[in-house]
Amino acid sequence: MDDGTTGIFMGGGGTGYATPQHLRFDYANRHGLIAGATGTGKTVTLQIMAQGFADAGVPVFLSDVKGDLSGLARPGSADQKLHGAFTERADKIGLDLVYEAAPVVFWDLWGETGHPVRATVSEMGPLLLSRLLDLSDAQEGVLNIAFRVADEQGLALLDLKDLQALLVWVGENRRELSLRYGNVSTASVGAIQRRLLTLEGEGGALLFGEPALELSDLMRRDDDGRGIVNILSADRLMSSPRLYATFLLWLLSELFEQLPEVGDPDKPKLVFFFDEAHLLFDDAPRALVEKVEQVARLIRSKGVGVYFVTQNPDDIPEDILGQLGNRVQHALRAFTAKDRRALRQAAQNYRENPDFEIEDAIREVGVGEAVTSFLERKGIPGVAQRTLIRPPASQLGPITAAERREVIAASPLAGRYDDTVDRESAFEILARRAEAAARDAARAEAEEEEAETAAREYKAGRRYTGGRVSRSTSRSRRTDSVGEAFAKSLARSLGSKAGRSIVRGVLGGLFRGR
């Protein structure tokens, strides 16, 4: 597609669409925006950019929300429906159209339409997990305490069962933990556990575990030096928008944490496309928005370019929108007063062009056309141009399931992430501790019970002393006569004052009767 020396040829602008419009590689890490209403050509623009970066040796990561971007793995064809229109457009903008595919690796959270992609709970961290689980401030505080305890006690948090087991332990030891870290309530622990169950039902359990994704596997090149286009299958993932947005933000954060500083390179080390970007910011807490803003501001020095793809620029917080230097604005529709305000605001984000009104152009551009502005020398925003976007070199639309399986089987990463690994972590360690505690408790209970039994026998005079026991026989038994029995009874009675009184009374009566 491109020779890799100037930038990605995006199309023709100006009079008769004869002026080439390039996205310069040396400013591609200054981030970008692809916006426009549904059906105006955003996905094709993303496809063109991704393949342009790949041809220049820049690896790419993107999410395929509708399945259309899988076409990057196959070259376009003269047999395709739009070949005639593509050829005509290429002639108009001065493009020698050559069909070719890009090197592609497919990823899938469920491991069905791509290689499985996983992260550990520890890598995700409490901030992103709180966002994923939609926790309150109090619940997020308890989750932070749980992570702190795991760090202090060497408990590896790899998958969801590790976190669930740790929360059970935190709940059981809440009194001691509350004295040290602050209030830990059973209500908060229970609420987090319920959210984890919901996450499991949405497929979140598949995201957490090992082997975790190695970032180096996203930054590969093929044997010809072309960057690999990593495509995350997100059509099914979109049914859980929080899971989708949190995973992509985690990936962006990991890139920021792990990659070295490179300043302003001649071309990016990696380009990251965030499709349906509004999902990241919908109902997001301020702390999370600040995290995204920080990452977007600083990650460019790591050589990473981030491109947000959304319907309206208004979906992106202003502090982040101001950092997006390269912009492709497809048509926006203005049916309501709110739409007109958004259109006016979108037009104000561009450097004015005396040849046309930007607000009118954004409203009027057709499918495959856009208002563009790319950074020029010294990072200055280019004048807005009404640009006819070039045709894609790869297939427009999705590939077949059989073709996808062929690509997965031929992948250099085939088999690396297929089987899960369940090494010893918090779940096993806490289970072993619980078993040991149960054994100790049973032993202590048995010892206590034995001691109580011995004490009772001692008090009852039945404790065995080890001496000889005399054997009684029938010969030693002797039956008292009636007189002897009466004498013994009389002796016992005389031993008490009341008994003596009764006897005297009885005897006196007998003598008087005589």
Side-chain angles (χ1 to χ4, degrees):
M1 283 174 60
D2 295 289
D3 58 11
T5 58
T6 305
I8 301 172
F9 176 67
M10 293 300 302
T15 303
Y17 302 111
T19 305
Q21 302 297 311
H22 287 87
L23 193 169
R24 293 177 54 139
F25 289 126
D26 52 351
Y27 292 113
N29 66 325
R30 304 291 181 91
H31 311 321
L33 172 71
I34 303 173
T38 301
T40 56
K42 297 191 303 295
T43 302
V44 176
T45 297
L46 193 164
Q47 182 173 344
I48 292 166
M49 281 190 182
Q51 189 161 5
F53 282 121
D55 288 347
V58 179
V60 173
F61 183 91
L62 57 87
S63 52
D64 190 6
V65 173
K66 297 177 290 186
D68 294 345
L69 292 170
S70 61
L72 279 159
R74 287 287 183 269
S77 169
D79 297 331
Q80 63 186 349
K81 181 179 179 181
L82 294 176
H83 173 69
F86 284 172
T87 302
E88 182 180 347
R89 176 175 295 193
D91 292 340
K92 182 178 290 188
I93 62 178
L95 171 68
D96 181 17
L97 180 60
V98 177
Y99 290 124
E100 60 181 338
V104 166
V105 169
F106 290 111
W107 300 90
D108 179 25
L109 179 63
W110 282 267
E112 297 173 356
T113 57
H115 304 301
V117 54
R118 305 182 192 88
T120 66
V121 172
S122 294
E123 289 173 336
M124 186 68 69
L127 176 62
L128 292 181
L129 270 176
S130 297
R131 159 66 170 166
L132 177 59
L133 300 174
D134 194 22
L135 301 182
S136 66
D137 290 343
Q139 294 159 3
E140 183 178 351
V142 172
L143 191 62
N144 274 286
I145 291 172
F147 271 77
R148 178 69 178 271
V149 169
D151 287 341
E152 292 179 349
Q153 299 197 16
L155 301 174
L157 299 177
L158 304 180
D159 51 26
L160 284 189
K161 73 177 187 298
D162 289 327
L163 182 56
Q164 290 166 330
L166 176 62
L167 288 170
V168 170
W169 187 91
V170 168
E172 292 172 345
N173 296 271
R174 60 188 181 279
R175 292 183 179 178
E176 294 82 357
L177 294 175
S178 295
L179 293 175
R180 182 174 181 183
Y181 300 109
N183 185 43
V184 177
S185 70
T186 54
S188 293
V189 173
I192 299 172
Q193 294 283 41
R194 289 192 297 272
R195 298 294 173 84
L196 289 174
L197 286 175
T198 302
L199 179 61
E200 277 189 294
E202 295 176 347
L206 298 173
L207 172 60
F208 297 104
E210 289 186 320
L213 177 65
E214 293 286 345
L215 294 184
S216 58
D217 286 333
L218 299 181
M219 306 182 71
R220 300 169 61 93
R221 295 177 178 82
D222 67 3
D223 295 336
D224 297 326
R226 295 181 300 169
I228 300 294
V229 179
N230 299 276
I231 301 179
L232 174 68
S233 298
D235 46 353
R236 183 177 174 185
L237 190 56
M238 290 302 294
S239 61
S240 305
R242 282 186 181 273
L243 182 58
Y244 166 76
T246 305
F247 168 73
L248 292 186
L249 182 55
W250 164 78
L251 185 56
L252 198 60
S253 299
E254 286 295 294
L255 290 168
F256 171 70
E257 295 291 340
Q258 296 189 26
L259 295 181
E261 296 276 345
V262 295
D264 286 319
D266 293 335
K267 57 186 178 184
K269 301 297 182 183
L270 176 72
V271 172
F272 187 100
F273 288 93
F274 203 135
D275 202 0
E276 300 294 340
H278 66 278
L279 296 175
L280 177 58
F281 306 106
D282 287 347
D283 302 322
R286 181 60 192 168
L288 185 63
V289 175
E290 290 176 350
K291 175 74 171 178
V292 179
E293 179 186 347
Q294 178 194 41
V295 171
R297 183 175 65 253
L298 300 177
I299 201 171
R300 81 178 209 186
S301 64
K302 307 292 185 83
V304 177
V306 181
Y307 288 72
F308 294 92
V309 185
T310 189
Q311 292 195 13
N312 198 311
D314 195 41
D315 296 333
I316 310 297
E318 187 173 352
D319 290 340
I320 298 174
L321 188 64
Q323 301 179 48
L324 311 182
N326 300 292
R327 304 189 179 198
V328 178
Q329 177 66 65
H330 289 275
L332 286 177
R333 311 307 181 197
F335 299 111
T336 66
K338 181 180 179 180
D339 292 339
R340 287 192 290 272
R341 288 194 299 270
L343 176 60
R344 190 177 307 113
Q345 185 174 354
Q348 293 171 353
N349 292 322
Y350 287 84
R351 184 177 167 188
E352 294 183 356
N353 188 326
D355 295 337
F356 60 88
E357 290 292 332
I358 297 177
E359 184 176 342
D360 293 339
I362 294 175
R363 185 189 301 110
E364 297 169 357
V365 290
V367 177
E369 190 179 6
V371 175
T372 64
S373 174
F374 302 111
L375 294 178
E376 299 177 346
R377 293 178 66 87
K378 298 182 179 180
I380 298 173
V383 173
Q385 296 290 341
R386 190 163 175 166
T387 302
L388 190 63
I389 302 298
R390 59 150 295 165
S394 51
Q395 177 178 308
L396 186 66
I399 61 176
T400 66
E403 290 172 332
R404 181 186 286 266
R405 287 193 294 269
E406 290 178 6
V407 174
I408 295 172
S411 168
L413 300 177
R416 178 171 300 184
Y417 294 98
D418 292 350
D419 299 324
T420 58
V421 176
D422 190 12
R423 64 185 175 94
E424 183 177 81
S425 51
F427 178 82
E428 290 79 13
I429 294 173
L430 291 174
R432 192 164 57 247
R433 289 184 186 177
E435 291 175 0
R439 287 194 301 269
D440 292 342
R443 186 183 304 112
E445 184 178 355
E447 292 174 353
E448 183 179 357
E449 184 177 349
E450 183 179 350
E452 290 177 352
T453 301
R456 286 195 302 268
E457 291 179 351
Y458 180 80
K459 290 179 180 179
R462 296 168 56 191
R463 184 177 181 184
Y464 174 61
T465 61
R468 296 185 63 185
V469 179
S470 61
R471 178 177 299 177
S472 63
T473 64
S474 58
R475 293 178 182 177
S476 65
R477 294 194 190 101
R478 186 169 61 90
T479 304
D480 293 335
S481 66
V482 175
E484 290 174 335
F486 174 76
K488 289 181 179 180
S489 176
L490 180 61
R492 285 195 298 269
S493 298
L494 292 173
S496 66
K497 183 178 180 180
R500 288 194 296 271
S501 298
I502 293 172
V503 171
R504 282 197 300 268
V506 172
L507 293 176
L510 290 173
F511 286 116
R512 282 192 299 271
R514 289 184 177 181

